[in-house]
């Protein structure tokens, strides 16, 4: 590995150095340097169109799916260049799971939804092992008690909050190291949101979590680190408490106190 | 003389009157609100439409009623005024006489007898009088209704609700036209089929294996006993449709997957319309292609490998029909595959699924109901297809599963039974209706099942 000026190498799981994203002519993300610590919840906040989702989608290379997107700079996961030509994007995405804004369970049974990832990656040697992974993931996602009697029913028949926890179970079934969450609660009601937030806090024990959110209360509640983006630039990053109580940059302060956004 | 021109003039006058009514109603509404439309329950234009509808509709009803009654009144009056010895003529002769009277009166033919000439004159004068009285009556009704509606306008009148209710009746009537036509077609099929089943038993028709619809015209004619066992036709239809589906489903589905998932948008925007052109080719052109190109080709190929292939083979017709229905499968499937939300694909990619895993395990299952629907619609199209099989499949009612032989289909037989001069009361022609009824039932059932599947299993994506 080249000598990258990583501030705290031992402490960063994902690290970005001078990352730029272009959608065609549009410069969507500008010169972002950001370190994400393991077993932390890192919240990305900022007004709409500020580049926070774009940055999130760089980490598991979801931007590859967009035809005219171009990523430059260095982005590493455990020191490995994510955009290296030798990296298999399929394996990368097995290490970096993702939960989306709108719950998107597959039109399959609840069991098959969770078993999908382990199956395509050949993670289970036999049915018993697969059962174990599925049950364990549903358990960790706090969904097992609600669905254990109807694992064969279709996942799209669950309520919105249950669907989103099913998607989280589906993501952790692959045993990723990092879980990316793109506004995971924006389509949920307050009670379902509270459950998912509680879950995020529990998941921190085993996973590194990066969450994009529009709700500053949510960022304050669930995250340890917060990064504030504005117009494609990373304005400020720091411990959540410090960002919310003592922001260094006037833009951050303006956003947090609700003067714009 | 009265004719279409006069009727048209009357209509135009009515339309002008209605337009005038619109302006009157609008102005009166505005005047009632002393120029401030906010005081009105409905916009001034609705008051205008209200008066215009009152002006136009009742008058139109008068005219339509007259148009329906006119022939009967003319016929009755003219016939009763004929001399007594003519009235005692048999029914068919009377019809001929009346026909001549009409021709003389309307098209200026030269009357063959003086009696006919007189009758024609009476016809013309009666028709003219009636037309003018109806014209006056309808205009009177229009003016009266206009005045009535005009007087009823005040600021609180619910003109919008009334106009919209009238519009709703129009919309309903328009949709009824299609439904009533369908019912009419079904009933005519049903009654003619019932007549057919009076001579041939339903059991023999549905389960008989001999199809030879020639009926002896004279008692000494040989070899035309008439057998109406439709099984060979059903088998032929199934064979050809089966071959067509075997061609269309894989090709259509694979091209749909390619177009919606792999092809670059530019390529897709060119190729998809091109594929849809296939659906726009007249079926008779496919017929040429099948009969003159594909069938001889298959026969020659068969000869090379030592197979005997009929020059009109089920294979040729089925292959070409399959090509024809590719767009039905590919275009509809492409639409449903494209309609699978991107979030599902991202969900699969986010778990580390490859493109082909995503397509096979997530996208296709999500689109399956729509795909099944498109396949069933294509099947009902294949079963009902006529021109290709008439030209390429032959007429021999062979009961065979060998695609290299000539077979015949339900549609082909309907065409042959009805083409040419036929009497319409022999089992031979009535058999066509029975076949049509079977065909209709099968395609209707397929369509209903297809729609049901699509609706039942459609995931509610918003």
């Amino acid at each position: 590995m080249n000598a990258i000026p990583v501030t705290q190498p031992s402490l960063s799981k994902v690290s970005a150095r001078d990352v730029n994203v272009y959608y065609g002519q549009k410069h969507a993300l500008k010169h972002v340097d950001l370190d994400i610590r393991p077993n932390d919840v890192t919240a990305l906040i900022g007004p709409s169109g500020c580049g926070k989702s774009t940055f999130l989608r760089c980490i598991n290379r979801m931007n590859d799916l967009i035809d005219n997107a171009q990523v430059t700079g260095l982005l590493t996961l455990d020191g490995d260049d994510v955009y290296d030509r030798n990296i298999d994007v399929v394996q990368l995405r097995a290490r970096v799971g993702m939960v989306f804004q709108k719950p998107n369970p597959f039109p399959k049974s609840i069991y098959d939804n969770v078993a999908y990832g382990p199956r395509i990656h050949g993670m289970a040697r036999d049915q018993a092992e697969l059962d174990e992974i599925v049950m364990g993931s549903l358990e960790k996602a706090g969904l097992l008690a609600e669905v254990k009697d109807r694992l064969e029913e279709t996942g799209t028949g669950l309520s919105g909050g249950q669907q989103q926890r099913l998607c989280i179970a589906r993501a952790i079934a692959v045993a990723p190291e990092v879980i990316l969450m793109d506004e995971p609660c924006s389509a949920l009601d307050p009670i379902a949101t509270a459950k998912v937030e509680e879950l995020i806090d529990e998941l921190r024990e085993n996973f590194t979590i990066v969450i994009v959110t529009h709700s500053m209360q949510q960022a304050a509640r669930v995250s340890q680190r917060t990064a504030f983006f504005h117009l494609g630039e990373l304005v400020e990053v720091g411990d959540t408490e410090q960002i919310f109580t003592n922001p260094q940059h006037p833009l951050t302060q303006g956003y947090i106190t609700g003067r714009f956004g | 003389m009265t004719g279409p021109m006069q009727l048209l003039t009357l209509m135009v006058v009515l339309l002008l009157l209605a337009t005038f009514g619109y302006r009157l109603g609008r102005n009166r509404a505005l005047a009632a609100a002393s120029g401030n439309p906010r005081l009105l329950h409905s916009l001034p234009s609705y008051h205008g439409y209200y008066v215009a509808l009152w002006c136009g509709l009742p008058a139109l009803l008068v005219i339509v009623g007259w148009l329906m009654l006119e022939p009967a009144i003319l016929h009755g009056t003219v016939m009763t005024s004929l001399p007594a010895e003519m009235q005692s003529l048999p029914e068919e002769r009377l019809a001929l006489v009346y026909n001549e009277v009409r021709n003389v009166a309307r098209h200026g033919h030269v009357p063959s007898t003086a009696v006919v000439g007189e009758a024609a004159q009476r016809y013309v004068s009666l028709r003219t009088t009636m037309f003018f009285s109806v014209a006056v009556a309808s205009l009177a009704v229009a003016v009266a209704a206009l005045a009535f509606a005009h007087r009823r306008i005040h600021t609180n009148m619910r003109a919008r609700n009334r106009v919209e209710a009238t519009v709703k009746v129009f919309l309903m009537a328009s949709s009824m036209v299609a439904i009533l036509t369908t019912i009419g077609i079904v009933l005519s099929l049903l009654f003619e089929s019932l007549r057919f089943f009076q001579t041939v038993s339903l059991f023999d028709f549905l389960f008989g294996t001999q199809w030879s619809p020639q009926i002896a015209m004279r008692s000494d004619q040989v070899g035309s006993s008439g057998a109406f066992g439709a099984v060979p036709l059903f088998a032929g239809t199934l064979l050809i449709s089966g071959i067509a589906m075997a061609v269309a489903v894989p090709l259509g589905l694979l091209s749909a997957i390619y177009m919606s998932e792999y092809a670059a948008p530019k390529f897709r925007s060119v190729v998809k319309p091109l594929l849809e052109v296939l659906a726009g080719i007249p079926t008779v052109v496919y017929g040429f292609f099948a009969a003159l190109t594909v069938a001889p080709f298959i026969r020659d190929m068969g000869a090379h490998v030592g197979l005997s292939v009929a020059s009109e083979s089920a294979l040729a017709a089925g292959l070409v029909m399959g090509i024809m229905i590719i767009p039905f499968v590919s275009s509809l499937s492409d639409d449903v595959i494209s309609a699978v939300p991107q979030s599902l694909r991202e969900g699969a990619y986010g778990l580390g699924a490859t493109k082909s895993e995503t397509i096979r395990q997530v996208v296709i299952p999500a689109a399956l109901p729509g795909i099944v629907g498109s396949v069933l619609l294509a099947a009902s199209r294949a079963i009902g297809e006529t021109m290709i099989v008439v030209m390429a499949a032959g007429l021999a009612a062979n009961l065979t599963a060998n695609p290299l032989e000539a077979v015949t289909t339900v549609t082909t037989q309907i065409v042959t039974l009805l083409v040419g001069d036929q009497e319409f009361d022999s089992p031979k022609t009535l058999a066509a209706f029975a076949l049509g009824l079977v065909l209709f039932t099968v395609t209707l059932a397929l369509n209903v099942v297809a729609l049901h599947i699509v609706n039942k299993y459609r995931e509610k994506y918003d």
Side-chain angles (χ1 to χ4, degrees), chain B residues 73-95:
Chain B
I73 297 175
L74 279 174
H75 183 265
T77 325
V78 168
M79 294 316 269
T80 44
S81 65
L82 285 177
E85 72 271 14
M86 274 188 98
Q87 284 193 47
S88 59
L89 284 172
E91 196 77 13
E92 308 96 77
R93 292 287 308 279
L94 269 179

Side-chain angles (χ1 to χ4, degrees), chain B residues 101-348:
Chain B
V101 170
R102 270 188 18 170
N103 281 337
V104 172
R106 293 194 163 197
H107 308 296
H109 290 191
V110 183
S112 57
T113 60
V115 179
V116 170
E118 274 168 40
Q121 270 171 13
R122 262 196 305 282
Y123 183 100
V124 170
S125 70
L126 180 63
R127 192 149 177 264
T128 316
T129 330
M130 273 207 306
F131 176 78
F132 280 114
S133 42
V134 164
V136 169
S138 68
L139 289 178
V141 166
V143 171
L146 188 150
F148 168 74
H150 186 251
R151 278 172 57 99
R152 285 183 45 164
I153 290 180
H154 53 86
T155 49
N156 284 329
M157 211 214 13
R158 303 227 172 318
R160 172 170 50 77
N161 310 37
R162 287 163 198 222
V163 169
E164 282 173 357
T166 316
V167 168
K168 210 162 78 184
V169 171
F170 266 116
L171 297 180
M172 210 165 70
S174 312
S175 64
M176 287 311 280
V177 170
I179 296 173
L180 289 178
T181 312
T182 314
I183 293 176
I185 292 174
V186 173
L187 286 182
S188 82
L189 273 180
L190 205 61
F191 284 119
E192 300 296 328
S193 304
L194 283 178
R195 282 177 66 195
F196 171 72
F197 289 124
Q198 280 163 4
T199 46
V200 177
S201 87
L202 181 64
F203 186 84
D204 287 347
F205 175 71
L206 287 181
F207 301 104
T209 55
Q210 272 297 321
W211 178 264
S212 148
Q214 292 308 321
I215 296 239
M217 300 260 186
R218 305 187 310 272
S219 52
D220 55 342
Q221 200 169 329
V222 283
S224 297
S225 52
F228 293 96
V231 169
L233 312 190
F234 299 151
T237 305
L238 279 184
L239 181 63
I240 290 182
S241 308
I243 296 170
M245 296 307 286
V247 173
V249 170
L251 285 181
L253 209 50
L254 292 178
S255 58
I257 292 171
Y258 176 71
M259 279 193 296
S260 58
E261 296 291 319
Y262 289 98
K266 249 187 197 162
F267 181 79
R268 178 171 188 247
S269 67
V270 173
V271 169
K272 198 175 177 197
L274 277 182
L275 249 176
E276 278 160 6
V277 164
L278 281 181
I281 298 176
T283 53
V284 68
V285 175
Y286 279 110
F288 296 150
F289 181 60
L292 302 179
T293 312
V294 179
F297 176 75
I298 292 176
R299 190 191 54 211
D300 295 347
M301 290 300 289
H304 268 294
V305 295
L307 285 169
S308 86
V309 183
S311 48
E312 291 180 318
S313 62
L315 189 60
L319 283 179
V320 173
M321 196 195 285
I323 302 288
M324 185 194 79
I325 56 178
I326 283 177
F328 287 83
V329 180
S330 73
S331 203
L332 279 171
S333 302
D334 178 47
D335 289 344
V336 292
I337 291 174
S338 303
V340 172
Q342 185 64 20
S343 68
L344 273 186
R345 295 189 184 86
E346 290 191 341

Side-chain angles (χ1 to χ4, degrees), chain A residues 57 62 65 90 93-94 96-98 100 102 104-108 116 120-121 154 156 170-171 174, chain B residues 265 341-354 357-358 361-362 365-366 459 461-462:
Chain A
R57 285 163 167 261
M62 282 304 256
L65 300 179
V90 165
R93 289 182 190 149
V96 184
M98 188 158 190
F100 297 83
K102 233 185 84 197
N104 55 351
F106 302 137
K108 301 170 183 285
Y116 185 74
I120 59 173
H121 295 296
T154 153
T156 45
R170 187 176 72 185
V174 191
Chain B
Q342 185 64 20
S343 68
L344 273 186
R345 295 189 184 86
E346 290 191 341
Y349 289 132
L351 288 170
T354 63
E357 281 166 344
T358 305
Q361 297 162 357
V362 175
E459 289 287 339
Y461 302 120
D462 39 287

Side-chain angles (χ1 to χ4, degrees), chain B residues 7 11 57-73 130 134 138:
Chain B
L7 200 58
M11 293 293 194
L57 283 184
L60 206 59
L61 280 180
V62 169
I63 295 174
V64 169
W66 169 67
L67 281 177
M68 292 202 295
L69 289 177
E70 186 204 26
I73 297 175
M130 273 207 306
V134 164
S138 68

